[in-house]
């Protein structure tokens, strides 16, 4: 139950947030409209479009809020930067995890920026939709969305007249979802967010350029990969784990879900090092791992991961990081259900970024206040093929026995065989 005192406290903290970002809006009218818009996103409004948000704010028409999204002069990227600083202050921790994933926004028509028939993981099928690539930040304190990019398909990027009609900038060329993810990772690493780990699903984990960026940045990762993924010492990762002895699989929880602990059989094996990235001089300072997650009820269902971590990292810690990836799914669900992330009616490129950024800000505020409530003693909410290589137990983990440190040249040559 929310008491009057708690409601007043939340209102004061929301006003503090508005004061923090207010200088990004040059005019008083814009600051007021921004406040009304975010308050509306946080309110129990049935459908969070400009009409109902205007009614919630007591406006006679939605014109002011529509102008905030479509015509006013303010930069959503500046609000994103403020959002990242806010999340770092409220939820930041030294073992922070950055999570990359995309989500679909079902749309009608053909004029919304980037819309086309394309696969949406949200719907689980091909739909007429827009796709947004997002970054979330997660710690034991909470999780929140901290960056976003609208995916512009190649068919759009090559049709400049269509792009101009949707206000897509002329300098916005085609970029894959992986490229958008790399841009967001670089921005996050340059932000106040303390980031030790990055995790993502196989759509991003399978890209060698994505993994190399993290290795060059000195950031640990646990990335899902397809079963056909090449890994050091084995042409296919599924072949590597086909050789694993029965005792290599251990029943382990990778974190709590809505129905309690997520328990699977996990196997983890240390891989040979790569000289260019894993050594400082003659001394190793990073370790490579391969992991597999097997369903207990359906043992044929196996997911695979590649990991890059400090030497002292345990297999249990890698399993925990792999499980953290679900936090972004929870962010999507909460931001859509609670803050209207997907309830916009804007069609143009600037309007998408403005609505999405303000919805992310509203969601981050909810995450911060939830953490504060737990800190004050409220009930704690828990976060959420053939190969010559051999497996050998080494202490409390398994190690892949094979050639010594590999070079990147060796790896690239092996992938083309």
């Amino acid at each position: 139950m929310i008491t009057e005192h708690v409601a007043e406290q939340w209102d004061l903290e929301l006003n503090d947030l508005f004061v923090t970002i207010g200088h990004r809006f040059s005019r008083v009218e814009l600051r007021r409209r921004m406040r009304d818009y975010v308050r509306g996103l946080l309110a129990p409004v049935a459908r969070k479009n400009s009409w109902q948000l205007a009614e919630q704010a007591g406006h006679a028409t939605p014109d002011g809020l529509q102008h905030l999204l479509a015509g006013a002069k303010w930069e959503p990227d500046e609000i994103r930067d403020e959002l990242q600083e806010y999340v770092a202050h409220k939820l930041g921790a030294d073992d922070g995890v950055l999570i990359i994933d995309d989500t679909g926004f079902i749309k009608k028509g053909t004029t919304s920026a980037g819309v086309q028939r394309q696969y949406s993981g949200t719907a689980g099928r091909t739909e007429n939709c827009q796709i947004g690539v997002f970054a979330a930040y997660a710690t034991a304190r909470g999780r929140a969305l901290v960056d976003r990019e609208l995916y512009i398909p190649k068919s759009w990027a090559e049709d400049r007249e269509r792009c101009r009609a949707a206000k897509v900038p002329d300098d916005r060329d085609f970029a894959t979802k992986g490229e958008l993810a790399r841009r967001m990772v670089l921005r996050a690493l340059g932000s106040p967010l303390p980031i030790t780990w990055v995790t993502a699903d196989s759509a991003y984990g399978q890209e060698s350029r994505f993994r190399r960026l993290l290795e060059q940045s000195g950031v640990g990762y646990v990335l899902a990969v397809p079963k056909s993924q090449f890994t050091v010492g084995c042409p296919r990762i599924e072949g590597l784990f086909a050789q694993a002895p029965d005792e290599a699989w251990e029943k382990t929880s990778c974190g709590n879900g809505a129905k309690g602990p997520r328990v699977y059989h996990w196997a983890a094996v240390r891989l040979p090092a790569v000289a260019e990235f894993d050594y400082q001089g003659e001394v190793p300072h990073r370790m490579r791992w391969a992991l597999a997650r097997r369903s207990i009820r359906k043992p044929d269902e196996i997911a695979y991961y590649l990991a890059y971590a400090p030497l002292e990292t345990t297999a249990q810690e890698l399993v925990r990081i792999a499980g953290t990836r679900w936090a972004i799914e929870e962010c999507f669900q909460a931001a859509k259900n609670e803050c209207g992330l997907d309830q916009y009616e804007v069609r143009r490129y600037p309007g998408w970024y403005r609505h999405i950024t303000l919805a992310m800000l509203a969601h981050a505020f909810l995450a911060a206040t939830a953490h504060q409530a737990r800190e004050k003693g409220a009930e704690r909410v828990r976060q959420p093929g053939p190969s010559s290589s051999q497996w050998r137990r080494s202490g409390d983990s398994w190690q892949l026995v094979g050639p010594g440190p590999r070079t990147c040249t060796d790896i690239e040559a092996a992938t083309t065989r």
Side-chain angles (χ1 to χ4, degrees):
M1 179 178 179
I2 299 177
T3 66
E4 183 177 351
H5 172 72
V6 171
E8 290 177 354
Q9 186 64 33
W10 284 8
D11 196 52
L12 289 173
E13 291 172 3
L14 185 57
N15 281 331
D16 286 344
L17 176 59
F18 290 151
V19 169
T20 299
I21 67 173
H23 69 284
R24 300 296 188 178
F25 299 85
S26 58
R27 298 170 57 192
V28 173
E29 294 85 354
L30 286 184
R31 290 195 288 274
R32 290 174 178 167
R33 290 169 184 168
M34 176 272 295
R35 291 176 180 227
D36 288 344
Y37 198 87
V38 174
R39 287 185 183 279
L41 293 174
L42 291 166
V45 179
R47 180 73 182 171
K48 296 181 179 181
N49 55 44
S50 57
W51 283 90
Q52 294 199 26
L53 295 183
E55 183 179 353
Q56 169 70 22
H59 297 190
T61 73
D63 295 350
L65 298 186
Q66 290 174 347
H67 179 69
L68 174 73
L69 299 182
K73 292 184 178 180
W74 60 280
E75 293 296 332
D77 285 353
E78 293 180 351
I79 304 304
R80 175 206 60 210
D81 295 343
E82 297 281 1
L83 166 65
Q84 291 180 350
E85 187 167 352
Y86 175 77
V87 171
H89 175 64
K90 296 292 186 177
L91 304 177
D94 290 341
D95 61 349
V97 182
L98 190 74
I99 313 161
I100 302 295
D101 201 359
D102 52 73
T103 189
F105 301 91
I106 306 300
K107 292 294 169 184
K108 296 180 181 179
T110 60
T111 58
S112 296
V115 71
Q116 70 172 24
R117 286 190 60 79
Q118 52 193 325
Y119 180 77
S120 167
T122 308
R125 59 184 180 273
T126 298
E127 287 280 1
N128 195 62
C129 64
Q130 295 169 299
I131 299 292
V133 183
F134 286 80
Y137 181 75
T139 68
R141 296 180 173 185
R143 66 286 308 272
L145 299 171
V146 294
D147 206 347
R148 72 288 175 264
E149 287 286 0
L150 178 62
Y151 173 66
I152 302 297
K154 184 174 289 188
S155 62
W156 269 80
E158 293 175 348
D159 188 343
R160 300 318 302 178
E161 288 302 317
R162 191 182 188 192
C163 284
R164 291 189 184 100
K167 300 296 183 182
V168 178
D170 287 338
D171 60 357
R172 177 66 192 269
D173 297 325
F174 173 71
T176 65
K177 295 171 190 173
E179 175 60 30
L180 297 178
R182 292 195 293 276
R183 294 176 188 175
M184 289 193 293
V185 167
L186 288 174
R187 285 199 294 262
L189 293 177
S191 77
L193 293 166
I195 297 169
T196 299
W197 298 95
V198 173
T199 187
D201 69 13
S202 59
Y204 302 94
Q206 67 182 336
E207 288 198 14
S208 61
R209 287 180 296 175
F210 187 68
R211 299 195 303 274
R212 290 289 180 266
L213 170 65
L214 300 177
E215 292 165 9
Q216 291 169 343
S217 301
V219 179
Y221 62 69
V222 182
L223 302 171
V225 293
K227 64 182 181 181
S228 59
Q229 181 70 42
F230 163 80
T231 185
V232 179
C234 188
R236 292 170 65 96
I237 196 169
E238 67 169 348
L240 172 63
F241 284 95
Q243 305 171 51
D246 291 342
E247 59 268 28
W249 296 91
E250 297 183 7
K251 186 182 292 187
T252 306
S253 169
C254 58
N256 291 319
K259 298 180 180 180
R262 296 186 176 102
V263 179
Y264 298 88
H265 282 133
W266 288 84
V269 57
R270 291 185 293 166
L271 302 175
V274 176
E276 285 90 333
F277 298 108
D278 305 345
Y279 277 72
Q280 289 182 344
E282 300 295 323
V283 180
H285 74 113
R286 293 275 176 170
M287 179 65 71
R288 293 174 185 273
W289 296 73
L291 292 86
R293 187 196 74 210
R294 188 175 69 189
S295 170
I296 293 175
R297 293 185 178 181
K298 299 178 180 179
D300 291 339
E301 293 184 1
I302 303 177
Y304 301 96
Y305 302 82
L306 292 179
Y308 181 72
L311 294 180
E312 65 275 11
T313 305
T314 64
Q316 179 59 46
E317 175 70 356
L318 298 177
V319 168
R320 184 187 71 81
I321 299 302
T324 304
R325 190 178 68 81
W326 279 300
I328 196 170
E329 299 292 346
E330 295 169 355
C331 285
F332 288 148
Q333 183 178 4
K336 289 179 179 181
N337 292 344
E338 311 264 347
C339 305
L341 185 75
D342 61 342
Q343 294 178 22
Y344 57 88
E345 294 180 344
V346 295
R347 291 189 174 90
R348 293 177 173 177
Y349 183 94
W352 186 91
Y353 277 90
R354 291 178 173 192
H355 169 85
I356 293 295
T357 304
L358 293 178
M360 288 166 50
L361 186 71
H363 175 253
F365 173 76
L366 290 181
T369 53
H371 166 64
Q372 185 178 50
R374 292 192 298 270
E375 286 282 284
K376 290 184 176 179
E379 181 180 356
R380 188 171 183 81
V381 179
R382 293 191 177 182
Q383 306 298 53
S387 170
S388 59
S389 303
Q390 297 179 339
W391 288 62
R392 183 180 70 187
R393 182 175 286 280
S394 176
D396 61 352
S397 64
W398 291 81
Q399 183 173 3
L400 185 65
V401 180
R406 300 292 188 92
T407 66
C408 293
T409 303
D410 295 334
I411 294 175
E412 298 302 328
T415 59
T416 59
R417 290 173 187 166

